[in-house]
Amino acid sequence: MDRQKELYREEAYELLDGLEESLMELEKNPKDLDVVGRVFRAMHTIKGSGAMFGFNDIASFTHTIEAVYDLVRDGKITVDQHLISLTPASCDVIREMLDASRDGTTPSVEKATLLTSAFMGYLPDSSEADTDRQAGSQPGIERQQVGDLVERTWRIRFKPHRNIFSNGTNPALLLRELGSLGTCSIVSHLEDLPDLSLMDPESCYVWWDVVLTTTADYNAIRDVFIFVEDLCELTIEVIDAPGETDDENPLYKRIGEILLERGDITTEAVMEALRSQKRLGEILVETKAIHPSAVQAALVEQEQVRAARRKRMAGDDTTSVRVPSAKLDALVNLVGELVTVQARLSQISSRRNEAELIGVAEEVERLSSELRDITMGIRMLPIGTSFAKFRRLVRDLSTELGKETRFVMEGEETELDKTIIDKLSEPLVHLIRNSMDHGIEPPGTREQNEKARAGTIKLSAIHSGAYVFISVSDDGRGLDAEAIRAKALAKGIIAPDQALSEKELYSLIFEPGFSTVTEVSSVSGRGVGMDVVRSTVDSLGGTVEVESMPGRGTTVTLKLPLTLAIIDGLLVRIDEESYILPLSVVVECVEITRHDQESIPGRHLVKVRNEIIPYIPLRKTFRLDSTPPDIEQVVITEIAGKRVGFVVDKVIGQHQTVIKSMGSMLKRIEGISGATILGDGTVALIIDVNKIVHHDEHVANALGTHEAMTTVTRPVHGPVSSRI
Amino acid sequence: MGKRILSVDDSTSIRQLVQFTLEKEGYEVVSAVDGRDAIQKAKGKHADMVITDLNMPNVDGIELIRSLRSDPDYRFTPIVMLTTESALEKKDAGKNAGATGWIVKPFKPEQLIAVVKRLIG
């Protein structure tokens, strides 16, 4: 912006020089309209561009002079000596104002005021009080308003005049813009299309009925059509709004009612049609009372409003069926056991190979998998129910912090295990607070950086495979990697010579006691909070990832399992026993020979594609004394952005794991998060990778050496810090 | 993307602002200093959209719009005029000449982008 201001100043100085020359000519020949035109244009540009680049004093001062010369140009007043003497004085004032803005001083206003009133004298009374202000409806401006965020459904009829193409308008783009505002159904009416031989290809015969569900308000919708207001018939009506429309019936209106409301048909025609017993729409079309597309448009509206209301109802219903979650847990538990028993049955039946038994086993398999899906489904709730309260949070924080923020939610309908939803609430509060406090800049700063005044915070949920990705993103200033490094150093979280990738630096914000803001606000910066995010997500078996672009914003993504009752696991074997590693953290599996292990004596490091990765021999962790096979396998995992390998005897494969908790006696065993029963009835322990990494001294000790080595290899993946 | 926009203004600073703003959005911008220059540049290579000031020396904005509209190549090309708040009649004159839309000065870069997106996508 400063560069542009400078450019404007240069231009204005130039224009003033030219202007003074023109004034001298004008003095010689006051009737020369060419010169008057030049004077007017110079003033006009100084004014118009001045307003663009924030020179409001210049803009408002020049405004009156411009108005006077506009009248001169139109021949409404004639140039006299007085006017010619006033103008150069004005040039001096403008110059003073330009100088002042360059030097950062304040120009005196007296002369300007005097001159303004002198110029005012030339203006007829009516035009003197600025025709300004009243005039401008600015296209595109409504977008920036922070709407009230209530989702309404609108009925829009857009009937362009035949000649709409003549001014270069493409109606399809307007419809597309409308579509970008929300959920949109468009019905094209082609009934006015004449026969091909009669058609004028430069006329628009098509018109549209649109049903739009959006949080945008009336003005924002109207604004889309601002350029074509006098080139079309346009009606915009609200047909559904929560709490504002009188009936909330999820079935919405009947087709006949909609058509009547739209004025597509008369009451008589409807009554007539109702007397026969077919579907109203069909009859109306058969009797040629209306065109099929009108019925279709009405049907579309009916459907969309029904959908919107169903969605609201669904939101309400979640509170109305209440089952104690203990009962639900018991059910899930039983189903889990049933599935295990069923797996055994299937195994036995395939071994016995008796037709009768196989038939029963298959039946049981089908039923139990259906039962499992349904039971899991009961625990699933749309995440939107918990999203809703964040809207309030954002609004309150906006006021508190003096920031303008738009809150956008996406994927509210995504379903997630209720237990997980409940536990997510706190971390999400912290993430949103953090975005509001550290991410979104104050409106002034944003404007300087050419961003919209209001920042945007987006909370979205996407379902993908066995996971749900929940992300909180803002379009604020982004994370400052250097500040994070400095802070982490000062807090002793990282070592001075530690090589860390950007991703690893970002993830430091989740370390306990970490906060880059020196001043504590009531919102965040107390150094508690973000570590809650990491620990909660860990406990849910998920992962956290941070992406950030300086100046563009930050996105924190939580990857969470759909349910806590079943996980996708990797089945491995150590000393004839089975174990499960959560598949969500597994990156790849590689082989390691005894020779490889002994080549770096005393240190547990493995080189995978030029990357040095510390590993944990699980055989040792679990204190199994048997001799390992010559070739073992390393399951490489990524935990909190760092890679760690787990050495096992053999990788068996992927396994859908129904998690059973360990009995109360065994509950406190560290490094094991649960158990599962395999198809053959044996038990497999589920390994808690986070805990094991925490407690493995070798990995921690390996760091010093590891660090030295990363400097020779790629410094992409830094060491596992002693903190994890 | 890569649509071509002809920006016409006698003010250097506005030309620069328009060019800078739209190029950042991936449009190709050709600048002209007045209506006469614009007519010439419009003939050279077809522009997908024209953004023009109204008050300019030689050929002014209204004349430019009229002239472009009479050119078969530009009959249906979106033309946006930059107006000031005080010039209501000018806006109507521009509309009558065949302008597709208008932007009121002073405007913010994002308003310019919104209008361009609305008219040429």
Side-chain angles (χ1 to χ4, degrees), chain B residues 1-75:
Chain B
M1 276 299 176
K3 288 208 170 115
R4 206 175 143 89
I5 298 173
L6 178 60
S7 152
V8 194
D9 207 305
D10 57 336
S11 159
T12 334
S13 50
I14 302 271
R15 275 202 311 271
Q16 290 257 2
L17 176 75
V18 170
Q19 179 148 12
F20 176 73
T21 308
L22 294 178
E23 280 180 352
K24 224 166 48 176
E25 289 295 305
Y27 297 102
E28 186 188 337
V29 181
V30 182
S31 291
V33 296
D34 59 32
R36 195 154 63 193
D37 189 19
I39 291 173
Q40 222 147 45
K41 287 192 166 137
K43 283 209 176 97
K45 202 169 166 196
H46 189 266
D48 299 299
M49 176 171 178
V50 179
I51 300 174
T52 177
D53 189 25
L54 289 183
N55 289 296
M56 290 181 297
N58 301 321
V59 172
D60 73 6
I62 305 280
E63 243 176 285
L64 170 66
I65 296 170
R66 259 192 223 116
S67 148
L68 286 177
R69 280 285 177 251
S70 64
D71 178 343
D73 284 342
Y74 283 91
R75 275 190 67 191

Side-chain angles (χ1 to χ4, degrees), chain A residues 238-256:
Chain A
V238 183
I239 47 172
D240 183 54
E244 288 169 33
T245 23
D246 1 309
D247 80 309
E248 287 279 293
N249 181 357
L251 288 179
Y252 189 48
K253 290 169 184 149
R254 288 160 185 278
I255 290 296

Side-chain angles (χ1 to χ4, degrees), chain A residues 4 11 40-41 44-45 47 49 52-53 132-133 135 138-139 141 165 167-168 173 177 202 223 226-227 230, chain B residues 11-14 17 55-57 69 75-76 78 85-86 95 99-102 104 106-107 111 118-119:
Chain A
Q4 277 163 351
E11 183 183 19
F40 167 78
R41 275 196 307 275
H44 179 76
T45 304
K47 179 197 123 169
S49 308
M52 287 285 312
F53 299 110
D132 243 297
R133 308 304 150 206
Q138 177 76 287
I141 200 169
F165 298 138
N167 82 337
L173 284 173
E177 187 175 347
E202 293 180 359
D223 180 67
I226 189 168
F227 292 152
D230 36 17
Chain B
S11 159
T12 334
S13 50
I14 302 271
L17 176 75
N55 289 296
M56 290 181 297
R69 280 285 177 251
R75 275 190 67 191
F76 302 113
E85 291 170 355
S86 49
K95 274 208 265 189
T100 318
W102 61 90
V104 180
F107 58 86
Q111 290 166 337
R118 170 175 304 166
L119 295 177

Side-chain angles (χ1 to χ4, degrees), chain A residues 75-126:
Chain A
K76 287 185 187 137
I77 43 178
T78 46
V79 179
D80 57 23
Q81 271 309 312
H82 183 52
L83 185 59
I84 290 177
S85 67
L86 280 177
T87 318
S90 320
C91 292
D92 293 341
V93 170
I94 298 171
R95 228 183 236 117
E96 263 173 48
M97 288 172 168
L98 286 168
D99 290 346
S101 86
R102 186 191 51 205
D103 309 335
T105 54
T106 331
S108 72
V109 287
E110 284 163 42
K111 233 158 102 194
T113 324
L114 272 175
L115 281 166
T116 305
S117 55
F119 276 109
M120 283 285 199
Y122 283 92
L123 295 174
D125 287 346
S126 57

Side-chain angles (χ1 to χ4, degrees), chain A residues 167-212:
Chain A
N167 82 337
T169 300
N170 178 353
L173 284 173
L174 300 181
L175 292 168
R176 194 203 287 174
E177 187 175 347
L178 214 52
S180 73
L181 295 175
T183 316
C184 185
S185 312
I186 301 174
V187 175
S188 313
H189 291 272
L190 302 174
E191 58 261 36
D192 294 346
L193 267 179
D195 285 345
L196 199 55
S197 56
L198 299 173
M199 199 172 102
D200 170 12
E202 293 180 359
S203 291
C204 181
Y205 297 97
V206 188
W207 52 283
W208 293 273
D209 270 323
V210 180
V211 180
L212 173 69

Side-chain angles (χ1 to χ4, degrees), chain A residues 711-722:
Chain A
T711 49
V712 265
T713 59
R714 284 188 302 147
V716 177
H717 290 281
V720 176
S721 92
S722 57

Side-chain angles (χ1 to χ4, degrees), chain A residues 442-458:
Chain A
T445 320
R446 290 183 64 88
E447 278 190 333
Q448 271 169 25
N449 294 332
E450 294 178 25
K451 291 180 172 182
R453 270 181 77 80
T456 303
I457 291 202
K458 193 166 96 181

